[in-house]
Amino acid sequence: MKLVYFAWIKDRIGLAEEEVELPAGIITVKDLLRWLRGRGAHYEAALQAPEVIRVAIDQEHADHSDPISGAREIALFPPMTGG
Amino acid sequence: MKLVYFAWIKDRIGLAEEEVELPAGIITVKDLLRWLRGRGAHYEAALQAPEVIRVAIDQEHADHSDPISGAREIALFPPMTGG
Amino acid sequence: MSIEPSVSVQSGRIDIAAVTAELALSGDVGGVVTFAGYCRSEDGKLAALELEHYPGMAEKEIGRIAKQAAERWPLLAAKVIHRYGKIAPGEEIVLVACASAHRAAAFEAAEFLMDFLKSRAPFWKREHLIDGTVGGWVEAKHEDDTALERWR
Amino acid sequence: MSIEPSVSVQSGRIDIAAVTAELALSGDVGGVVTFAGYCRSEDGKLAALELEHYPGMAEKEIGRIAKQAAERWPLLAAKVIHRYGKIAPGEEIVLVACASAHRAAAFEAAEFLMDFLKSRAPFWKREHLIDGTVGGWVEAKHEDDTALERWR
């Protein structure tokens, strides 16, 4: 599965995107965020306040409770500031 | 006193403007409209529904109950349709 | 201190691009809202709209309305241009442009200006039809009067 | 049937005049409302705004928002252009333009589009300062979220 990061989440993780193999038991966005935080200090710094993290599954906004099964691309980003 | 007319009021009266000498007792806009209606069939046709006539005194919107004393220019026109 | 709005009553075409660019010049401007009103073709029946106006009062009344908008919202610039004379289908009749630091003020002020122009600015429209006849004077719409109520 | 809005996500400047003129082309258009958002100078401290975006999703999400607007209001045309990359103070960031037969629909649709773009379109701003430092990412404003509530 492809993960893509934007803005300060990208800065803190130090990557714009990566391919990951998810372990069994990762069902929802929330599970994914918890698993990512355990991958090291950079991830912990980026995701320490998961409630502010916005998520898109295959380029559509998603909730933290949404299942991620079948997703090709999941994006994590802070609240948007365009317009 | 100068009277100026616009749109269908001008068309019906057949004049764009005129100078008038008001008789005594013409205090308000309402008095003026009543006096004008008595000046002939053209005026009667233009002013037969006085409630729709809008009025400006010296180029500011005015009510039918406003006094006209001291006015230099009084304009009569239908509801506006600009914009 | 509120800004001094710019008002023009003219027969010539309106350069919408120039106005928008001019309003955006200040470094504090975050948003510019413009409304341009156009002459509709009325399904091809209309040759032109004729706009009669009250010279002198038209400028003054639009100026009064624009000044009210500038006092009510924190505008950085405001411009109103209204045409008179013969206007062909597809041509612009009126332009309202408001600039502010944040978008809500510019949106509200532009709507306020249009609502008041419609029922307070001394202009009257008459239709000239394709078949050569001159149609009647356009009747004022009741909804244009009720549009004012929300600004009280 | 609602119209198909036009969406562009681009790094280059926006030709506001061309867009406005294009939207007014149909003979049925009575009004065009445009909102242009600009990069403020922040009292001369700002060298540029950098806009990061999510390529692919940016176009799709703006398209979804614009389609909602076209279904909700009787628009005759709608166009949204959003820039990304480095944007200098005074330059435009975003343009929303809506055309309709009567003005209320165009005003409401343009405000709706801006409210949703602000909090749903995947763009993030970062400040580059005159002194050469790169400022932090701009924080989202709470009022931009609450702005959505009036459209429910």
Side-chain angles (χ1 to χ4, degrees):
Chain A
M1 179 182 289
K2 184 179 178 187
L3 299 180
V4 293
Y5 309 121
F6 293 98
W8 52 257
I9 295 178
K10 176 181 69 178
D11 293 349
R12 292 183 193 173
I13 293 180
L15 286 173
E17 59 179 73
E18 61 181 320
E19 284 288 337
V20 294
E21 292 285 338
L22 297 184
I26 308 287
I27 310 296
T28 65
V29 167
K30 196 174 171 188
D31 298 334
L32 172 68
L33 292 175
R34 194 186 302 121
W35 176 73
L36 279 171
R37 280 179 76 174
R39 295 182 80 211
H42 291 313
Y43 291 91
E44 171 63 23
L47 307 173
Q48 59 193 325
E51 66 279 7
V52 307
I53 309 290
R54 305 296 176 97
V55 180
I57 298 179
D58 292 335
Q59 308 197 341
E60 283 205 50
H61 289 295
D63 291 327
H64 286 205
S65 58
D66 285 342
I68 61 173
S69 148
R72 293 179 307 280
E73 178 176 299
I74 296 186
L76 306 184
F77 41 79
M80 289 138 282
T81 54
Chain B
M1 179 182 289
K2 185 180 178 186
L3 298 180
V4 293
Y5 310 120
F6 294 98
W8 53 256
I9 295 179
K10 177 181 70 179
D11 293 348
R12 292 184 193 173
I13 294 181
L15 286 172
E17 58 178 75
E18 61 181 321
E19 285 287 338
V20 294
E21 291 285 338
L22 297 184
I26 308 286
I27 311 296
T28 66
V29 168
K30 197 173 170 189
D31 298 334
L32 171 68
L33 291 175
R34 193 184 304 120
W35 176 72
L36 279 171
R37 280 180 76 175
R39 295 181 81 212
H42 293 312
Y43 291 92
E44 171 61 24
L47 306 175
Q48 59 192 325
E51 66 279 8
V52 307
I53 309 292
R54 305 296 175 98
V55 181
I57 298 178
D58 293 334
Q59 307 196 344
E60 283 205 50
H61 289 294
D63 291 326
H64 286 204
S65 58
D66 285 342
I68 61 172
S69 147
R72 292 179 307 281
E73 178 175 300
I74 295 186
L76 305 185
F77 42 78
M80 288 138 283
T81 55
Chain C
M1 257 263 314
S2 65
I3 52 106
E4 198 59 51
S6 150
V7 171
S8 173
V9 173
Q10 63 190 46
S11 61
R13 298 291 301 260
I14 302 173
D15 187 342
I16 297 175
V19 172
T20 313
E22 190 191 318
L23 257 67
L25 277 185
S26 151
D28 296 325
V29 168
V32 175
V33 171
T34 68
F35 174 86
Y38 290 89
C39 175
R40 286 192 298 269
S41 70
E42 308 296 352
D43 297 322
K45 291 199 293 285
L46 194 80
L49 271 183
E50 177 192 348
L51 270 108
E52 181 170 324
H53 77 301
Y54 184 174
M57 181 173 170
E59 293 83 350
K60 281 183 207 163
E61 185 63 22
I62 296 175
R64 285 189 282 260
I65 296 165
K67 196 70 194 157
Q68 276 182 45
E71 282 161 6
R72 190 158 169 173
W73 288 278
L75 301 182
L76 297 167
K79 187 150 192 150
V80 179
I81 306 179
H82 203 306
R83 293 178 67 195
Y84 62 85
K86 285 256 189 86
I87 294 175
E91 285 186 15
E92 68 292 339
I93 299 169
V94 63
L95 177 71
V96 160
C98 294
S100 57
H102 301 288
R103 71 186 185 283
F107 268 115
E108 286 184 21
E111 282 196 86
F112 170 93
L113 278 167
M114 279 310 303
D115 283 350
F116 276 81
L117 284 182
K118 283 268 175 189
S119 37
R120 306 269 304 176
F123 291 82
W124 301 272
K125 293 191 182 103
R126 178 153 61 173
E127 298 183 330
H128 289 250
L129 305 181
I130 284 285
D131 65 12
T133 59
V134 179
W137 293 93
V138 172
E139 284 218 39
K141 288 183 205 147
H142 180 61
E143 71 232 44
D144 284 331
D145 268 343
T146 55
L148 299 192
E149 280 163 24
R150 68 167 159 154
W151 303 110
R152 294 195 196 284
Chain D
M1 258 261 314
S2 65
I3 52 107
E4 198 59 52
S6 150
V7 172
S8 174
V9 173
Q10 63 188 48
S11 60
R13 299 292 301 260
I14 302 173
D15 187 342
I16 297 175
V19 171
T20 313
E22 191 190 318
L23 257 66
L25 276 186
S26 151
D28 296 326
V29 169
V32 175
V33 171
T34 69
F35 175 85
Y38 291 88
C39 175
R40 285 192 298 269
S41 69
E42 308 296 350
D43 296 322
K45 290 198 294 285
L46 194 79
L49 271 183
E50 177 192 348
L51 268 108
E52 181 170 325
H53 77 302
Y54 185 175
M57 181 174 170
E59 293 83 348
K60 282 182 207 164
E61 184 63 22
I62 296 176
R64 285 189 281 261
I65 296 165
K67 194 72 192 154
Q68 276 181 46
E71 281 161 7
R72 192 157 168 174
W73 288 277
L75 301 182
L76 297 167
K79 188 152 194 151
V80 179
I81 306 178
H82 203 306
R83 293 177 66 194
Y84 61 85
K86 285 256 190 85
I87 294 175
E91 286 185 15
E92 68 291 339
I93 299 168
V94 63
L95 178 70
V96 160
C98 294
S100 56
H102 301 287
R103 71 186 184 283
F107 268 115
E108 285 184 22
E111 281 196 87
F112 170 93
L113 279 167
M114 280 309 304
D115 282 350
F116 277 80
L117 285 182
K118 283 267 173 189
S119 37
R120 305 269 305 177
F123 291 82
W124 301 272
K125 293 192 182 103
R126 178 153 61 173
E127 297 183 332
H128 290 250
L129 306 181
I130 284 285
D131 64 12
T133 58
V134 178
W137 293 94
V138 172
E139 286 219 38
K141 288 183 204 147
H142 180 62
E143 71 232 43
D144 284 331
D145 269 344
T146 54
L148 299 193
E149 280 163 24
R150 68 166 159 154
W151 302 112
R152 293 193 199 286

